[in-house]
């Protein structure tokens, strides 16, 4: 599976990058694999390629996974790479991709 449309309508693809929207301990995640699991749940297997914690930036390159639908919520926003041009309502916030800027 190379792409998945979340319940909120956001199409995510392998290779897309997302950042946490929280104020502290901000991770940048790259989606490496999307996999259909039991009961129709799609899981996103990701690599944390950057992490900022209390002003310190690291590149931990560690693995994590989560339900792919989390990328269609206010928990994450698109990072520097991926997310084809699309406007999507994400918990009443509109995300746009214009020429790679987010």
């Amino acid at each position: 599976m190379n792409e998945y449309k979340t319940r909120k309508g956001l199409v995510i693809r392998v290779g897309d990058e997302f950042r946490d929207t929280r104020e502290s301990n901000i991770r940048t995640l790259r989606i490496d694999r999307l996999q259909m699991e039991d009961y129709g749940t799609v899981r996103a297997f990701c690599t944390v390629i950057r992490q900022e914690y209390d002003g310190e930036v690291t590149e931990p390159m560690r693995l994590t996974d989560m339900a792919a639908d989390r990328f269609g919520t206010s928990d994450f926003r698109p990072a520097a790479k991926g997310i084809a041009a699309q406007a999507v309502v994400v918990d009443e916030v509109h995300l746009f991709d214009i020429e790679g800027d987010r």
Side-chain angles (χ1 to χ4, degrees):
M1 170 179 269
N2 291 321
E3 68 179 36
Y4 170 69
K5 187 174 188 177
T6 69
R7 288 185 289 230
K8 296 284 187 173
L10 180 68
V11 178
I12 60 173
R13 295 176 178 86
V14 170
D16 287 349
E17 295 176 5
F18 288 86
R19 286 178 49 111
D20 288 301
T21 57
R22 57 188 172 220
E23 296 290 321
S24 175
N25 194 22
I26 302 165
R27 303 166 298 167
T28 300
L29 308 172
R30 181 188 62 226
I31 298 175
D32 296 326
R33 181 170 47 109
L34 296 166
Q35 179 177 317
M36 181 71 73
E37 303 229 324
D38 294 338
Y39 309 107
T41 301
V42 174
R43 238 167 147 79
F45 293 86
C46 307
T47 300
V48 179
I49 58 173
R50 183 179 191 275
Q51 188 162 4
E52 184 176 337
Y53 185 71
D54 289 338
E56 183 179 336
V57 176
T58 59
E59 296 179 3
M61 301 303 277
R62 64 181 169 81
L63 303 177
T64 189
D65 63 273
M66 66 191 70
D69 279 312
R70 283 196 59 200
F71 292 110
T73 69
S74 59
D75 291 342
F76 294 93
R77 64 184 165 108
K81 181 180 174 188
I83 305 298
Q86 56 183 315
V88 177
V89 176
V90 178
D91 291 346
E92 301 305 318
V93 175
H94 295 271
L95 300 176
F96 295 90
D97 177 20
I98 302 172
E99 300 294 325
D101 289 337
R102 297 168 211 285

